[in-house]
Structure formats: structure tokens, C-alpha cells
Amino acid sequence: MKYRTLAHTAVSAIGLGAMPLSIEHRPDEARAVATLHAALDAGVTLIDTADSYHWHAAEAGHNELLIARALARYGADTSHVLVATKGGRGRPGDGSWTVTATPDHLKRAAEASLGRLGVDAIGLYQLHKPDPAVPWADSVGALRELLDAGTVRAVGISNVTTDQIRQAHQILGDGLVSVQNRYSPAVRGSEPELRLSEQLGLAFLPWSPLGGISRSSLDGPSGLAPAATATAFHRIAAGHGVSPQRLALAWLLARSPAMIPVPGASRPSSITDSARAVELTLTPRELAELGDALPG
């Protein structure tokens, strides 16, 4: 495993997005725990979660509790693992997502996450999404209070603009360590936020980092998607003898030293494959071709 800086410490350059282990169509707990343990076996030391990663209305925090159980059962030291959780969104149980980022809600949510994770302080607490009904400075101010109280050790913000990053940085100072926006081979609209994160020394955690890489590519013996959907990502991956998913993660790592992808997984083989993206070096020519390739 290779490492990058997040929350003033070194974490694995590839993390695990744990959301698929708790939402709709989630695996049973045995496979979910096996997936988390496979991530640890592969050297992953960053696990991304949220209090809203659950399926049914009455099970808020399902993913956090699952991660806490899996870490406790691992059978080896996990004190170096950074569990990053988020607050500010909810799931009523009908498949929809809500946004609530009032200061009171965020402080209550952080305390609840702290209890579920069973830690003295949350290593990284991220505001899941700006609430249009709440002034941005008020939401970020609540994060400042959580830092000052020692409830959280570091703060991140998600689904934000460059202006929101700058304002949060003014309020939080060195307490702000990460930005988590959508970024993938198919969705690159957060390039300005990525470059600003670099300038400010923030880690950039792209969510849905494999967007645009066809799931069908996993099914063929050659690693190639059907001709109608094959892209440069599929062709170059086949040349390296790796999955398009692994290639996409290697491409993301090459995009910026601030980039720390957190691909989702619901089976051990998926995260094991993703973690090996750190071993893949792409040539300048390949990077140029992939930079122009937009999967449909």
C-alpha cells in the first residue's frame, strides 16, 4: 500500500467507501464484515461512512455500527485506521435523502456518531451537504464548535463549491482537512474544487470514483466491456491485464497528489482489486489518452 496525507496523518492512498454495505441491496453481515476485513488485509486504513448510510427509517447509523463491530472482530490492532463519518443528511426509509445542517442537528448527530463508533473523538467528521435553508457559516460554525470541544479531531466538507471551501477554510483554519465531491472518469465538474484543495493543502476524496466504468466489464474473461460501451479505460486496462475499475483508480491517483479515492465495495474481491490500484503506473501517453476519454 502507498500513503497520502489526510487529517495530519498518513492514510492509504485508496480508502473504502462503506455505503454499499448498509443501503438497499446490502449484503448480509457476514459478507459485509468480510469485505471490511479484506480492506484491512489489503492495507486500507481509511474507511468512509455516514450516519445516513442505512436502508430503513429506524436504523440510522447502521453503517457506523457495522464498521465498529468489524474493527472489534478483526483480531489485530486497528488503532491506525481512520474512520471518516458524515452528518447532515437523512433517509426517511422511502429511498429519498434529506438535508438538515442546522448547528443543533450537526452537534447532536456528531455526538450520536461518536457513541456508535465507540471512540474518544471522531477522527474526521464531514458535513455531508450544504443545507440551502441554513447559512453556510452557521453550519461550518457548528463544526468549529465540535473541533473546539474535542468531539472531532478534524473536519471535512462535501458537495461544495470553491466559494464554500474558501469560507470554511477561513472559519476552520487547519481544522479543515478534506473536501469530498463527486469526481470520476465520467464526472469531472469538480476540477476547480480539486485544484483549490491542492492549493490549500486539503485532501480530495472523490465520491462515486468509478462512475462511467461499466459494471459489465467485470463479467468478461478479457476484462473488456462490449464493443458498444468499451472506452480507453477498458482498452488500456486490458493491455495491463487489470480491471477497468483498478485502472480508473490509478488514473484518479495520477490526477493529483491530493486525491484519495474511496471506492465502494460489497464483496471482498472488489476492495482487494481496488486497493491494488496503487501498484499501477500509467505512462504519460496513457494518461493523455485517458484524460480525453469520457465514458458514456
Side-chain angles (χ1 to χ4, degrees), residues 161-230:
T161 65
T162 53
D163 286 345
Q164 288 168 331
I165 295 172
R166 290 189 181 95
Q167 188 175 3
H169 190 252
Q170 290 177 345
I171 296 170
L172 296 165
D174 291 342
L176 179 65
V177 301
S178 64
V179 170
Q180 189 169 28
N181 277 15
R182 188 177 187 184
Y183 193 103
S184 70
V187 181
R188 308 182 191 184
S190 281
E191 192 75 24
E193 289 75 23
L194 169 61
R195 300 309 162 191
L196 179 58
S197 296
E198 286 179 343
Q199 295 171 24
L200 296 176
L202 308 176
F204 187 90
L205 283 58
W207 62 266
S208 193
L210 298 177
I213 302 300
S214 170
R215 177 60 57 182
S216 64
S217 64
L218 293 176
D219 301 330
S222 67
L224 280 174
T229 59

Side-chain angles (χ1 to χ4, degrees), residues 37-156:
H37 286 179
L40 300 175
D41 290 343
V44 171
T45 63
L46 170 64
I47 301 175
D48 178 75
T49 183
D51 60 1
S52 57
Y53 289 170
H54 61 89
W55 186 348
H56 307 293
E59 56 176 18
H62 181 281
N63 202 239
E64 294 170 325
L65 290 168
L66 173 67
I67 290 167
R69 289 195 296 272
L71 291 176
R73 298 175 191 171
Y74 185 54
D77 180 30
T78 58
S79 61
H80 60 295
V81 176
L82 176 62
V83 178
T85 193
K86 295 183 285 291
R89 303 207 74 178
R91 301 206 74 198
D94 60 0
S96 65
W97 296 76
T98 60
V99 180
T100 306
T102 63
D104 285 348
H105 175 84
L106 290 174
K107 287 183 278 190
R108 288 196 306 270
E111 290 288 351
S113 291
L114 183 73
R116 287 189 289 262
L117 292 172
V119 293
D120 295 330
I122 296 172
L124 173 59
Y125 192 69
Q126 302 176 96
L127 176 57
H128 208 150
K129 188 175 183 178
D131 185 339
V134 178
W136 179 237
D138 290 355
S139 295
V140 177
L143 303 179
R144 175 79 262 176
E145 292 183 40
L146 290 168
L147 271 172
D148 294 342
T151 306
V152 307
R153 293 195 176 96
V155 166

